[in-house]
Amino acid sequence: MSAISIGQAVVLGAVEGVTEFLPVSSTGHLKIAEGLMGIPVNDKTVVGFSAVIQVGAIAAALLFFSKDIVRIVGAWFRGLRNREERYHHDYKFAWWVIYATIPIVVVGLAAKPLIEGPLASLWVVAGSLILGSGVMWVADQMGRHKRGEDDTSLKDAMWVGCSQILALLFPGFSRSGATMSTALILDLERVAATRLSFFLGIPALTGAGIYELKDAVGSGAAVAPLAIGTVVSFAVAYASISWLLKFVAKHSFNSFVIYRILVGALLFGLLGMGVLS
């Protein structure tokens, strides 16, 4: 029998859609929502459900950035056939995304027992939310925001790609928060940092969703909640992406920093009072 009902799937899909690409930790918010609804956060089916509904959010990103993705993938294929095309930035960028995804895949597979076990604790989530807030604030302050998307390099992609490991090991740190912060430290402007975070997140999150599919559909009863949660995640994430790109064009990350600290403090309070375990 599924550990997640239809109603809970709708709620979790909406939480995933809103938070996947915002630098507030989708994993952290999902675990908080699961805890408040009495869902066992360490259950393999629940862990798989959380990973698979991410694919809905990733599908929204694929649709939103479809023109960019078609351009980059097209340049990659042309470069494989034509040596002259290999000097094009899009061809190089496609390879950079591939290279930058390898570290998180290796760590994800090697550390899977820890990620699904001790590190899945809500205490870890709370601490990571607050610690990640400090990193985001420092990165936003020290970054000079002078480099655009066309100025990125393999070094940038590798640093940003590797930073995803922080969010993988410490749920609550936020994959978006880690990647955007790293990009800002490398002096990318906020919009460029945000877009780079999207492009590097697509293969890693899609791969995680596919890998976890076997656990998420471990029983026939899990299929309906999984499908509904994924559809809701897709719809909400599309709107969230559009809003985020407009927001970062004119604002700093301070609002996210304050929000994360408040959520982390609230979570510590709920855990300390025994409301959540």
Side-chain angles (χ1 to χ4, degrees), residues 111-218:
K112 192 170 187 288
L114 285 174
I115 295 168
E116 296 181 355
L119 294 178
S121 166
L122 289 176
W123 290 100
V124 175
V125 172
S128 299
L129 276 165
I130 295 176
L131 177 62
S133 300
V135 174
M136 284 183 61
W137 184 83
V138 171
D140 206 15
Q141 298 302 310
M142 68 181 294
R144 290 179 286 180
H145 316 294
K146 66 177 185 178
R147 298 171 57 209
E149 190 172 340
D150 290 338
D151 297 323
T152 55
S153 65
L154 173 59
K155 175 184 174 183
D156 298 324
M158 291 303 298
W159 275 112
V160 174
C162 288
S163 71
Q164 296 179 105
I165 295 172
L166 284 172
L168 182 68
L169 296 178
F170 303 104
F173 204 97
S174 169
R175 188 201 62 81
S176 296
T179 52
M180 291 179 191
S181 296
T182 302
L184 290 176
I185 291 173
L186 295 170
D187 292 333
L188 268 69
E189 60 185 19
R190 292 189 182 95
V191 173
T194 303
R195 284 173 58 86
L196 183 59
S197 173
F198 281 123
F199 291 132
L200 289 177
I202 288 173
L205 293 175
T206 301
I210 295 173
Y211 182 81
E212 295 288 354
L213 184 61
K214 63 183 185 302
D215 293 331
V217 295

Side-chain angles (χ1 to χ4, degrees), residues 39-101:
I39 299 172
V41 298
N42 292 330
D43 184 280
K44 287 187 68 175
T45 302
V46 176
V47 173
F49 176 91
S50 299
V52 174
I53 63 172
Q54 287 180 331
V55 176
I58 294 302
L62 287 170
L63 178 61
F64 193 93
F65 294 105
S66 58
K67 292 182 179 179
D68 296 292
I69 293 170
V70 168
R71 188 190 75 244
I72 293 169
V73 172
W76 187 70
F77 278 111
R78 288 194 300 273
L80 292 179
R81 299 192 305 267
N82 187 334
R83 183 180 297 273
E84 293 181 0
E85 293 288 339
R86 297 174 190 174
Y87 296 99
H88 197 286
H89 183 270
D90 286 339
Y91 171 79
K92 296 177 182 178
F93 185 78
W95 276 115
W96 298 344
V97 171
I98 294 172
Y99 297 149
T101 302

Side-chain angles (χ1 to χ4, degrees), residues 105 175 222 263 269 275 277:
V105 172
R175 188 201 62 81
V263 173
V275 177
S277 61

